[in-house]
Amino acid sequence: MSFLPESVGWYLTLLIVTWAFAPLTRWLCGRLPDRGATVARPLGLLAVVWPTWILASVTPVPFSTVGLWTTVAIGGIAGWVLAVRRGWVTRDWLMALAIAEAVALVAFIAYVGLRGYTPRITGTEKPMDIAFLSSGARATDLPPSDPWFAGETINYYYLGYFVHGAIARMSDVPTWIAFNLALATTVAMTIVGAAGVAFNVARTQLGRRGAFGAAALAAFFVAVAGNVYAAKEFLADPRGTINHAWWPYPDDGGIGWNASRVVIDHGSAQAETINEFPWFSFLLGDLHPHVTSLPFTLLALALAVNLLTTRWRDRTGDRSQWAILVVSGIAIGALYPLNSWDFPTYLVLAVAALVFASGWTRQALQRVGVLVLASVAAWLPFTVSFVPFAGGDKSGLPSALRDLPLVSRVLTTIGAYTGERTNAGEFLSVFGITWAVAVTYLAVAVVRAARTDGAPRIPGGAIAAAVIVGLAAISLSAPVLILAGAPLAASIWLLARRWGREPDSPTVVAGLFAAGFALILITEFFYIQDVFAGRYNTLFKVYYQVWTLFGIGAALAVGLLWREAIAVAHRALPRVALASGVAVAVAAGLVYPLFATDQWTDWAGPRDWRGLDGLAFVGETAPGDVATIHWLADHAREDDVVLEGPGCQYRVNFGIPTARISAFTGVPTIIGQDGAEGQWRDQQPELKAQIEQRADDVREMYENPQSDLFDRYGVTLLYVGKFERDGTGEECTKAGPFDAVARPNYPGPGWTQVFSSDEGALYRRDSGA
């Protein structure tokens, strides 16, 4: 089993990085019961990458594997010396680290076992993901080169690819295996991180046993559970649900794919929106930013809880508090280059936690300023080079606003959504499980708070607001105004009552629910104007955030409700009702991971365990391509540019992906998959206009290997493989065939063959040609 050495090397590298920077986590998260043990891995990954990344971004010093290992050595030695001197190395802390590592290892091995059935990196948008991962794994200059647009750098949220590319180069694992190991690492960090946030919040009020229960439930709700759609389909047709294939075709049935396409905006250009959830993402296996950022959003939540529970008023003379704010800001700021959608949400949560803990004072504002400034400044090299895809046409704005940079940018980025609203069935099909827990908890909490205050009196303003919201919901056909608005109001009311008190578990639960319901309401009326029409992409990215917030909030809410039920010692009914409700919720959440996972491992033919080599499937059809990729990965020069057939997005998805040489090696080509580049370059009109021209130039260069175009694009390598010789056999004619490659003695003078295998031949341009 050739995957085993790579897997062991990869995990040992993760282990070294995690434990080297464990003292940093211990110092940063000192207020948490586990001292940050459950988020030590994502923080360690940032700690090993950021110093070398920032140095290579602002100085001529190249990004290198030596630099990464040097960072580990310096950080590890300094951290552990400090930990010993300060007495941090205690049995409890080491036990917490060991437990977190054990859970991570089990999750990692389990996902590797699952991924081994479908390791191929050919379908959906995996070619894009492997291209960015490969580019990051070989980068020396930053930003990394765009492997599908020679001469330009990546214009995407690339940090997730870059982090895993760093581990690939440190452990010497090829990217076509590292891709699947990166997925396993993400799954493991997500499970441990979700459990850790819930444990840390619950520990002081629910005790050790209750905290472990909340942790297990949070890991399930966030990382494993499916949505209500799957449960509904199963109840309606159990046998049909079980026996259906993962993909909906040809009859559009099944839960595998369809569970992620629940909300339909009829009449919109992109009517079928996306409502992915983590287990769907883990099965599909696209290494997208919204997936790789998951553990880091949980790190941001853990830091927010740490800020919330820090006794800021008692530490006004402690300079270390400013260092904690700076490092917390750097970690939270990483969300912008990881997945820019996450950054504002989790920064606002951290700011809210800090203000809630500190009070609304001048010192609190100073702390907020330091946190925000650090989060922005630390990642400025990315920010200044990244051109967001969002932003509309300024021609529709009044002339007085067009020349106001910030105002015009906001007005052309944020749009008012006036299309079809999410109906109640769609909303509950996505969030029904955690929504039911949230509503139950909030109702109990509000009633209990009202009783504590004496006879409840509903203010006239509240009644008027409820009437207005109800009328608006009816007139706009927007039931989510009530389904999310009512619990949002309850959450805010509970938070207001806790202002000025010692923050505790109910504070965090109310905050998580408030944030989630507020985000849901935003998507009902506003969206980001990007390359996708309507709220298609906005709903996708925002709902993904809400899934995490609700998952942890629901797990904690169950723990607090159980404590309330136990307090009613003379009545068994509350405990029975709660236990039954939780059992139903878990059962409903298990439908998708049980049946969809079984379908996923069965869809690609015989259910055989194939290992982790994502290239092996390509080798069955085009062994020459695979052999060339292997050779080029070992022998490519830093400044190489390879000529290969252009790519078409979503074509040849389940065979050989187009633009495959550049994708799997990271060596840039003139133009890769056109649809992807069109999205990334949407706000760079000059570059976007080059996409089709580059494809035409590639055809001319294959026809005339002595063309001056080789100098223009800096091409050093020319590849002739299956597509270039025979074409794709589908509608991507730009990928080949190129008739000239069949000529005798092709490509002629000025070229030397450096590798050949089966149908693949690679030529290097002679110096001075």
Side-chain angles (χ1 to χ4, degrees), residues 28-70:
L28 183 64
C29 301
R31 293 291 299 177
L32 300 181
D34 74 346
R35 303 298 189 265
T38 48
V39 291
R41 177 145 298 153
L43 185 64
L45 290 175
L46 291 179
V48 71
V49 168
W50 182 77
T52 314
W53 176 88
I54 193 72
L55 187 65
S57 296
V58 300
T59 72
V61 177
F63 189 87
S64 67
T65 307
V66 172
L68 291 168
W69 280 115
T70 301

Side-chain angles (χ1 to χ4, degrees), residues 263-289:
V263 181
I264 308 297
D265 291 341
H266 295 95
S268 298
Q270 293 276 3
E272 186 182 71
T273 66
I274 302 175
N275 50 267
E276 278 192 32
F277 46 91
W279 193 253
F280 171 91
S281 304
F282 298 156
L283 283 184
L284 186 66
D286 286 0
L287 197 66
H288 277 8

